[in-house]
Amino acid sequence: MESKTDSIKMFFFPFVGGGHQIPMIDTARVFAAHGAMSTILTTPSNALHFQKSITRDQQSCLPITIHLLTTTVDITDTDMSAGPMIDTSILLEPLREFLLQHPPDCIVVDMFHRWANDVIDELKIPRIFFTGNGCFPRCVHENISRHAVLDNLSSDSEPFIVPGLPDKIEMTRSQLPIFARNPSQFPDRLRQMEGKSFGTVINSFYDLEPAYADYIINVLGKKAWLVGPVSLCNISVKDKTERGKQPTVDEQSCLNWLNSKKPNSVIYVSFGSLARLPPEQLCEIAYGLEASEQSFIWVVGKVLNSSKKEEVGGDQNWLPNGFEERMKETNKGLILRGWAPQLLILEHAAVGGFVTHCGWNSTLEGVCAGVPMVTWPLTAEQFSNEKLITNVLGIGVQVGSREWWSWNGEWKQVVGRERVELAVKKLMTRSEEAEEMRRRVKHIAGNARRAIKEGGTSYADIDALIQELKANRFTSQV
C-alpha cells in the first residue's frame, strides 16, 4: 500500500445537475478504489445527495473526502434536475482559495463549469476535462461541426450522412442541437476548453465502442482515458438505492412487485431527471403501454404545462380516465412518481426492456444490466446515442422521435400511442430479432464488467492516468 505522501491527490469538481453530478461522484469513488486520494468539491446542499455513499467508502478505508465550497448563497438542486445553463460562477473565489492552499496533482472539472478552466489554468494545476458522454456522440459532433455541409439540405427533416465515421450514420438537422445546425456561427468553446486540458476522462469502456475510442485518440487527436462504466462501483443495495437521491418510492415494495413477474416480462420506462413531458405526450405513452399488453414500471417526473411553460407537480389529470385504477387492478403496471432506484430496477431479472431518453448514464446502465432498449431521444447528445444503440450495437428499437428539444422550451412533437405500442411489442414480444438483441446486450454487459476488473481495459486506463500524473508531478518538481 502506498504512503499518503506517494499517493496522487485528485480533486473532482462535479456540476450540480444529476446527469453530470452522479457519474463524476462515481468516477471519484473509482479512482479512490485505485489508491488516489480523491476529494469532491461541492456545495453544502449538493453534498447531501452523496454523503452517505462517501461515508460508507470511508468506513471501507478508501481515501475519499468531501470539501464544501461555501458562499453566501448556496447553489441548490433539490430534485437533481439543474439545466446546463445554470451559472455556478459564485464558487469562483472559494475554489481559487482552496486550490491555492491545497494544490492537487490534478482536478477533474465538469464541462458546465465554464468559468473554472481559466482559474485552474492560471494556477498551473493539471486540469482534466469531463463531459459526461461517450466516444461515439463526440465523434458525431466533431465530424458534423468540421465536415458536414448542412446548408444544402432542403429541410430540417432531410437525412444526411455524417462524414468520416467508421459506420454509416444518418441524421437530420432536426435531431441536432440548435447551436450545431449552424456551427460556423457558434465558436466551439468545448473544443477550446478541452484543448488546453491535461486530457479527458470518458465514462465508457473500450469494447462498447472500440472504433470510436480509436477515432477519438488517433484521428481527432484527443488525449483520453476510458474509465467506465463507473456506475458499476455501486455494489451494495444501499449504494444502488441511494445513488443520486433518496427514492420517493419504497424500494422494497417495488422489488416485491418485480418478484411477482416472470423473467424478461417487464419493460421499464424512464426519461431521466431533466425531461418535462407535456400531459398530451404522457397520455399517449399511457395508452401505448396499455395497448402493448406488457407489464411495465413507469417513472413519471414532473409534467410540463406547455401552454404556460409551468411544471405541474403531483397533478394526475393527464392520466387517461381509469388508467391507474386498471393497472392496479390487473397488476399490469406500476407507476412511480419522483426519484426511482434505477440500478436496482434494471438489474432485476423480471426487467426485459427499457424505454429510455438515451441519456448517456441511462444508456450505460441499460447496457450494464444487459437490457435492450426502446430509444426515445429528446435533447443534448441523445439522438447520437440512439444511433449507437440501434445502428452500431443493434440492441434497441427506435420509437421514432425526430425533434431535438431545448430542455426548457416548448414541446415540438408528440409521439403517438401506436408507435409506442409498436416499439414496445417489437422489443418485448418473443421473436428472432428480439432474442438477438437480448443476446448481444448480455454479451456487452459481460464485457462491461470485465473492463473494470484487474486486467480489463478501463482498469488499465485508470492506472495509466494515475501513473502519468505521478510522472507529471516528478517533472514539475525537477
Side-chain angles (χ1 to χ4, degrees):
M1 195 74 180
E2 288 181 308
S3 69
K4 287 190 176 181
T5 53
D6 291 332
S7 296
I8 284 297
K9 186 160 72 171
M10 299 179 71
F11 290 172
F12 294 83
F13 189 28
F15 192 61
V16 291
H20 279 233
Q21 182 182 115
I22 292 170
M24 191 184 284
I25 301 306
D26 283 346
T27 302
R29 298 175 65 205
V30 165
F31 274 89
H34 280 247
M37 295 175 65
S38 301
T39 300
I40 299 164
L41 311 182
T42 190
T43 67
S45 63
N46 280 281
L48 298 175
H49 295 314
F50 50 86
Q51 177 67 69
K52 288 181 180 178
S53 65
I54 301 305
T55 299
R56 284 191 289 272
D57 284 351
Q58 291 168 340
Q59 290 167 348
S60 300
C61 299
L62 290 186
I64 189 165
T65 57
I66 298 172
H67 174 77
L68 300 180
L69 299 174
T70 55
T71 58
T72 53
V73 180
D74 195 1
I75 301 171
T76 58
D77 181 27
T78 54
D79 62 358
M80 300 289 282
S81 62
M85 300 313 292
I86 282 189
D87 182 11
T88 59
S89 61
I90 192 173
L91 300 175
L92 191 154
E93 286 308 320
L95 177 68
R96 184 202 298 274
E97 185 180 337
F98 186 66
L99 292 178
L100 280 168
Q101 293 175 359
H102 308 277
D105 291 296
C106 79
I107 178 169
V108 182
V109 185
D110 190 275
M111 63 184 283
F112 291 142
H113 290 307
R114 298 166 183 85
W115 53 269
N117 303 287
D118 293 339
V119 178
I120 296 162
D121 294 349
E122 177 189 314
L123 297 175
K124 295 184 169 31
I125 294 170
R127 173 173 56 82
I128 294 177
F129 201 54
F130 181 86
T131 65
N133 55 35
C135 298
F136 178 85
R138 185 61 190 281
C139 293
V140 171
H141 169 80
E142 285 278 354
N143 280 25
I144 289 174
S145 65
R146 291 183 182 192
H147 307 302
V149 179
L150 306 182
D151 296 340
N152 298 335
L153 299 174
S154 61
S155 69
D156 283 352
S157 59
E158 182 185 346
F160 68 91
I161 304 296
V162 181
L165 295 179
D167 295 283
K168 181 182 177 182
I169 303 299
E170 195 172 82
M171 304 282 288
T172 64
R173 196 158 50 195
S174 66
Q175 295 172 323
L176 303 180
I178 301 299
F179 62 83
R181 298 180 192 183
N182 296 291
S184 61
Q185 297 179 21
F186 293 87
D188 195 339
R189 175 76 170 145
L190 181 74
R191 197 180 295 159
Q192 293 169 13
M193 290 190 295
E194 187 180 27
K196 295 179 181 178
S197 72
F198 190 78
T200 302
V201 288
I202 299 176
N203 179 22
S204 186
F205 59 103
Y206 185 79
D207 282 336
L208 179 69
E209 41 182 355
Y212 297 92
D214 290 340
Y215 197 94
I216 286 271
I217 295 166
N218 300 327
V219 179
L220 298 180
K222 309 294 182 185
K223 191 175 181 182
W225 300 268
L226 275 64
V227 301
V230 296
S231 62
L232 292 177
C233 76
N234 297 277
I235 297 170
S236 72
V237 171
K238 282 188 175 180
D239 277 354
K240 292 173 184 177
T241 302
E242 296 170 355
R243 183 169 177 256
K245 193 177 163 189
Q246 192 70 32
T248 48
V249 63
D250 172 20
E251 70 272 12
Q252 196 52 55
S253 64
C254 180
L255 292 175
N256 289 342
W257 187 87
L258 283 167
N259 289 338
S260 71
K261 300 298 181 181
K262 294 178 181 178
N264 297 326
S265 66
V266 176
I267 190 156
Y268 173 63
V269 184
S270 175
F271 292 88
S273 58
L274 192 61
R276 300 288 183 266
L277 275 63
E280 55 268 31
Q281 181 61 84
L282 292 165
C283 195
E284 291 300 306
I285 292 171
Y287 280 123
L289 287 173
E290 186 169 19
S292 76
E293 300 183 331
Q294 304 298 313
S295 294
F296 64 86
I297 292 182
W298 180 11
V299 182
V300 180
K302 291 181 179 178
V303 185
L304 179 70
N305 183 337
S306 54
S307 62
K308 298 178 183 177
K309 286 192 179 180
E310 293 174 352
E311 292 172 4
V312 182
D315 187 353
Q316 298 175 26
N317 64 7
W318 52 266
L319 283 168
N321 189 33
F323 173 76
E324 193 159 17
E325 292 76 11
R326 289 194 300 276
M327 295 306 100
K328 285 180 180 176
E329 194 176 300
T330 61
N331 201 34
K332 203 73 176 175
L334 185 62
I335 299 169
L336 309 179
R337 291 174 174 82
W339 196 267
Q342 182 158 297
L343 290 183
L344 283 181
I345 293 171
L346 284 172
E347 290 175 1
H348 197 282
V351 174
F354 181 13
V355 178
T356 174
H357 64 306
C358 305
W360 188 244
N361 297 321
S362 290
T363 297
L364 279 180
E365 288 160 23
V367 162
C368 290
V371 176
M373 293 167 246
V374 170
T375 58
W376 195 327
L378 304 173
T379 189
E381 87 291 356
Q382 294 160 15
F383 283 94
S384 296
N385 294 339
E386 175 184 58
K387 299 297 183 181
L388 175 68
I389 295 165
T390 59
N391 294 34
V392 179
L393 300 176
I395 57 171
V397 176
Q398 296 185 19
V399 79
S401 176
R402 291 290 178 267
E403 291 284 343
W404 192 89
W405 168 69
S406 178
W407 71 276
N408 61 350
E410 294 283 355
W411 197 259
K412 290 186 177 180
Q413 173 200 24
V414 173
V415 174
R417 64 192 73 177
E418 297 83 4
R419 282 199 277 171
V420 176
E421 176 191 354
L422 183 64
V424 170
K425 280 183 173 178
K426 191 172 182 181
L427 193 74
M428 299 297 289
T429 305
R430 194 175 183 87
S431 69
E432 193 173 319
E433 183 183 2
E435 288 305 308
E436 177 61 21
M437 281 191 284
R438 202 170 303 284
R439 185 196 65 75
R440 280 199 199 103
V441 75
K442 295 288 185 190
H443 176 73
I444 297 169
N447 288 342
R449 295 184 184 278
R450 281 187 287 275
I452 63 164
K453 292 180 179 175
E454 190 167 358
T457 53
S458 294
Y459 191 100
D461 265 20
I462 293 164
D463 280 354
L465 175 52
I466 290 172
Q467 292 306 316
E468 191 159 346
L469 289 169
K470 285 182 179 179
N472 185 70
R473 175 208 278 170
F474 177 78
T475 304
S476 301
Q477 291 172 347
V478 173

